Amino acid sequence: PLRRPGHLELPQTMAENPYPIPSKRLDVVIIGAGLSGLGAAYRLQTECPDHSYAILEGRASLGGTWDQFKYPGIRSDSPMICFGFGFKPYKPYTHLAEGREILEYMRQVAEENRLDRRILYHRKVTSMSWDSTARVWALDVDVENGARRERVEASFVIACTGYYEYERAGVEELARFPGREDFEAAGGRILHPQFWQAGDLRDKTVVVVGSGATAISIVPSLAKQCRKLVMVQRSPTYIWCWPRSFSLALRLLFAPLHLLLGLAAMQAIHRQSEIWFEIFLHTLCLKLPRMARAIFALAQWAHLGASFAALRPHLTPKYDPWTQRVCLDADGDFLATLRTGGASIVTCALERFTARGVQLADGSQIECDVVVTATGLKLVQSPGNIEISVDGTPMKLREHVTYRGAMLNDVPNLVHTLGYLNIAWTLRAELMYKWTCRLLNHMRAKGATVAVPRLRPEEVSAPRRRLVEGFTPTYFLRALDGFARQLPSRSAADPWQIHIQDHFKDKVQLAAPLDDGVLHYH
């Protein structure tokens, strides 16, 4: 049975530090206790202290991706000075961090700011419906993996659930290849990074399928644990080697700033310089792709030496740089693993499983004991794959237009946090937290309880564009095109626009006046 709104008890894991959730409906519910959820909570309680709120988290602990993924080698794929929070920069003189370090950082942020007291664990939001008469969102919540259900009511919802559907990543991708039953019946194992339970691999031959960030980070670590490792990729990925911590030259550059201006100022300068560098590299790749290709090749040659000629076909994509995401190789570990023979790489599409391993599209076979699915990303069909309805009408993302990359037309009091594709996710997420708090305070000052973007008459029939253009990974195109289109569209002009690959335009758009004639208040 569905329990009506009432006092929401914290799960037993939090009983020693309970937070009294109000018995009436909340002002704001944040869905997800990952990086975005914690950032939104911090901004909410510092900039909107008179708003009641709670965080609903489906898992048993905070951390989101960084709590769910436990595979060897998991780490950040963006510099931590940008990936971390602006209000609490990650430890100085660090570029990249391991997954466990990021998780510990998030826990520290939650404890220091008492955000952990606002989290309701084991609460997975399955559906939510807006009632225009009551002016409230009713969220249906599975508690303790469906042991019971609750209903939580909130005036405003911030969805911090990300782009990707991690629970089925790789699972559906491999299901389309025949022969899996034969492979498993013969003792073969298939491992998914989000459900990592590898056991002892010392005498095993492992095939890693994929070429993205997961594959680049898992191969160097896994190669040390198994007898033999082969990476199978359908096509190559651009790889940029990046140190885990500051080089001596950077330390000599930033240490005087630390000494003269203090740590906070030094880290602020570091953050801005990192943003500018990433935007410069992204712009160079798009505007001068031939030059960018040459730079990538030269950097790889510096790490591979005599092995470069043999490995170059497996490291040179057919597409231009940054039309798909560039992967960071921490300290050049991935390239070093290939150079020293710790792993080999094959560029050919997977065709099927066999009783002894896998068969590729060219007919060749690789005998193996274990297959790791470092591929198969899938975009969510709605925030968190939650069934959303407005006054009884189901909401489908593809039928809506984005408003400033934060809300959707005709959907009241709902913000969906979206980060960048080309630079650190958190940079855009933090702009959205601040914009959302500004909106909440503006609504309260106006005496309004509802804010909803509405297309103007001349905008209803205006041409629609893809949410993101110039970014061509297969999983992204699958979500954007044809009958399988899952993401909302955008218009050619603000405010029906999202600058998801331009940080500076984004800052201007999200600082625009809130009384713009498009956002309606009631």
Side-chain angles (χ1 to χ4, degrees):
L2 193 65
R3 295 172 57 181
R4 298 301 302 169
H7 180 76
L8 302 180
E9 298 176 357
L10 288 168
Q12 292 299 312
T13 54
M14 294 291 290
E16 70 279 2
N17 192 23
Y19 176 81
I21 300 297
S23 58
K24 296 182 180 180
R25 79 186 192 193
L26 296 157
D27 291 322
V28 182
V29 158
I30 298 170
I31 304 175
L35 200 71
S36 298
L38 295 179
Y42 174 84
R43 288 298 172 191
L44 193 61
Q45 71 179 29
T46 54
E47 299 183 19
C48 304
D50 55 344
H51 287 67
S52 61
Y53 81 93
I55 305 172
L56 301 182
E57 169 56 49
R59 297 174 57 78
S61 56
L62 62 81
T65 298
W66 304 103
D67 177 65
Q68 180 170 347
F69 284 72
K70 302 291 177 61
Y71 64 84
I74 183 172
R75 55 164 174 77
S76 62
D77 199 39
S78 298
M80 286 303 297
I81 192 64
C82 297
F83 192 68
F85 298 113
F87 60 84
K88 183 180 174 59
Y90 193 68
K91 58 187 179 183
Y93 306 106
T94 301
H95 284 308
L96 304 177
E98 303 299 318
R100 55 180 174 75
E101 295 173 326
I102 297 172
L103 187 57
E104 181 56 36
Y105 165 72
M106 294 170 68
R107 287 171 177 162
Q108 186 179 12
V109 168
E111 291 170 5
E112 288 179 357
N113 297 283
R114 303 170 75 87
L115 306 178
D116 50 345
R117 299 189 174 198
R118 303 277 186 149
I119 304 173
L120 296 172
Y121 293 102
H122 297 291
R123 279 163 170 79
K124 180 178 177 59
V125 179
T126 57
S127 64
M128 49 189 278
S129 57
W130 171 261
D131 185 331
S132 292
T133 302
R135 300 186 176 188
V136 67
W137 282 105
L139 293 84
D140 295 333
V141 182
D142 273 356
V143 183
E144 301 282 357
N145 294 320
R148 69 177 191 275
R149 300 181 69 198
E150 291 179 343
R151 173 162 289 177
V152 180
E153 291 186 350
S155 299
F156 203 99
V157 173
I158 306 175
C160 298
T161 53
Y163 291 116
Y164 302 121
E165 185 179 340
Y166 289 123
E167 292 183 2
R168 291 191 288 177
V171 179
E172 293 183 352
E173 177 75 6
L174 286 195
R176 66 189 182 90
F177 297 107
R180 174 174 177 170
E181 297 79 5
D182 297 334
F183 177 65
E184 292 181 321
R189 297 176 59 201
I190 297 176
L191 299 178
H192 304 293
Q194 68 272 41
F195 310 120
W196 192 259
Q197 290 183 330
D200 188 355
L201 299 175
R202 283 177 293 182
D203 298 323
K204 307 296 183 183
T205 297
V206 177
V207 166
V208 175
V209 181
S211 60
T214 302
I216 301 304
S217 59
I218 201 173
V219 163
S221 296
L222 208 55
K224 299 173 183 177
Q225 302 178 21
C226 63
R227 180 172 60 86
K228 180 182 178 181
L229 188 146
V230 182
M231 175 175 158
V232 175
Q233 59 178 12
R234 182 175 53 215
S235 60
T237 298
Y238 284 103
I239 298 170
W240 184 259
C241 296
W242 202 246
R244 285 183 168 86
S245 57
F246 275 29
S247 64
L248 177 61
L250 277 181
R251 286 182 181 271
L252 292 175
L253 176 64
F254 279 93
L257 298 176
H258 187 176
L259 182 64
L260 295 173
L261 303 178
L263 179 60
M266 184 273 281
Q267 288 183 306
I269 293 171
H270 177 204
R271 193 178 216 222
Q272 287 303 310
S273 64
E274 195 67 61
I275 292 171
W276 278 104
F277 174 77
E278 291 192 27
I279 291 175
F280 167 76
L281 181 61
H282 180 254
T283 304
L284 175 70
C285 290
L286 297 183
K287 300 294 185 182
L288 299 170
R290 293 181 64 182
M291 179 184 291
R293 281 176 175 265
I295 292 172
F296 276 99
L298 183 63
Q300 289 169 0
W301 171 81
H303 282 82
L304 292 171
S307 303
F308 176 68
L311 289 170
R312 186 174 187 180
H314 304 292
L315 301 172
T316 307
K318 296 180 180 179
Y319 56 85
D320 287 335
W322 260 122
T323 54
Q324 297 188 27
R325 190 170 174 86
V326 172
C327 293
L328 292 186
D329 182 11
D331 286 338
D333 286 351
F334 174 76
L335 295 183
T337 302
L338 297 180
R339 185 187 71 242
T340 58
S344 58
I345 186 169
V346 176
T347 303
C348 189
L350 181 68
E351 184 171 273
R352 63 174 292 118
F353 289 93
T354 69
R356 304 179 67 178
V358 295
Q359 179 177 309
L360 306 183
D362 62 4
S364 63
Q365 298 192 26
I366 303 174
E367 295 185 6
C368 63
D369 307 292
V370 177
V371 173
V372 177
T373 63
T375 185
L377 281 178
K378 184 178 181 181
L379 298 180
V380 295
Q381 298 186 38
S382 64
N385 273 344
I386 298 167
E387 295 180 5
I388 302 175
S389 62
V390 176
D391 293 325
T393 301
M395 187 200 83
K396 297 180 179 179
L397 285 180
R398 64 177 180 267
E399 296 175 354
H400 292 268
V401 184
T402 184
Y403 171 79
R404 302 195 187 281
M407 301 179 74
L408 299 171
N409 69 298
D410 299 330
V411 181
N413 291 19
L414 173 63
V415 167
H416 184 201
T417 305
L418 297 176
Y420 291 121
L421 297 171
N422 61 326
I423 55 177
W425 167 280
T426 319
L427 291 173
R428 186 172 200 278
E430 289 201 307
L431 292 178
M432 291 188 66
Y433 312 149
K434 294 176 182 179
W435 181 86
T436 302
C437 290
R438 191 160 64 94
L439 174 61
L440 290 169
N441 288 330
H442 188 66
M443 290 169 63
R444 187 150 291 188
K446 292 172 72 76
T449 56
V450 178
V452 55
R454 301 220 183 266
L455 291 163
R456 289 172 284 214
E458 66 273 19
E459 295 168 336
V460 173
S461 57
R464 301 282 181 261
R465 298 172 61 182
R466 286 178 172 179
L467 185 71
V468 179
E469 295 175 339
F471 190 66
T472 61
T474 303
Y475 70 89
F476 221 83
L477 295 179
R478 193 164 51 230
L480 288 169
D481 290 331
F483 295 105
R485 185 165 67 91
Q486 299 167 22
L487 299 180
S489 57
R490 63 186 174 106
S491 186
D494 292 338
W496 307 107
Q497 179 63 280
I498 179 170
H499 301 292
I500 207 161
Q501 300 200 78
D502 193 322
H503 177 63
F504 297 109
K505 284 185 179 180
D506 224 16
K507 290 182 72 172
V508 172
Q509 177 177 235
L510 291 173
L514 293 169
D515 290 316
D516 57 5
V518 171
L519 200 56
H520 293 254
Y521 301 94
H522 307 286

